[in-house]
Amino acid sequence: MTVLIDTPLWPKHGTVWAHLVSDESIAELRAFADSAGLPSRAFDLDHYDVPVERFDELVAAGAEPVEPRELVRRLAASGLRVTPRERRERRRARTD
């Protein structure tokens, strides 16, 4: 099992956010997130957005901390990454 979490750097909604991904499968990611009590609304196609306040807890639960570039590299190498273009297309399809 390899669940990765990047450095919390992304400000929004009054906090700073990290990304939680799996470089194995979405099923593995969802299982880890469920066991950690992450809400399903935090899932965004290939990752979970997690607030900085949960970072240490998720690392203690087994998430491997990596730099953001490493997270993207490993997610892309796994074939699970949803590109920005695909993300826009999927969102557009939901509103049509």
Side-chain angles (χ1 to χ4, degrees):
M1 174 162 115
T2 309
V3 174
L4 311 168
I5 188 166
D6 67 359
T7 307
L9 296 173
W10 319 103
K12 195 157 191 161
H13 305 297
T15 191
V16 181
W17 299 82
H19 301 107
L20 186 74
V21 306
S22 168
D23 67 358
E24 296 287 325
S25 72
I26 297 298
E28 174 187 60
L29 176 61
R30 287 188 177 270
F32 183 91
D34 286 347
S35 71
L38 294 177
S40 60
R41 70 180 179 276
F43 182 69
D44 188 13
L45 302 176
D46 61 1
H47 71 275
Y48 280 81
D49 293 317
V50 294
V52 66
E53 297 83 11
R54 302 284 310 263
F55 182 85
D56 291 338
E57 170 194 342
L58 294 170
V59 170
E64 178 185 334
V66 295
E67 294 298 319
R69 286 185 186 204
E70 177 68 7
L71 181 135
V72 171
R73 185 190 70 72
R74 289 175 63 180
L75 184 60
S78 74
L80 298 173
R81 182 166 189 249
V82 176
T83 66
R85 180 183 206 168
E86 291 170 325
R87 194 173 304 282
R88 284 190 304 272
E89 289 171 359
R90 289 183 187 190
R91 285 186 181 138
R92 201 172 309 130
R94 282 187 278 177
T95 61
D96 290 341

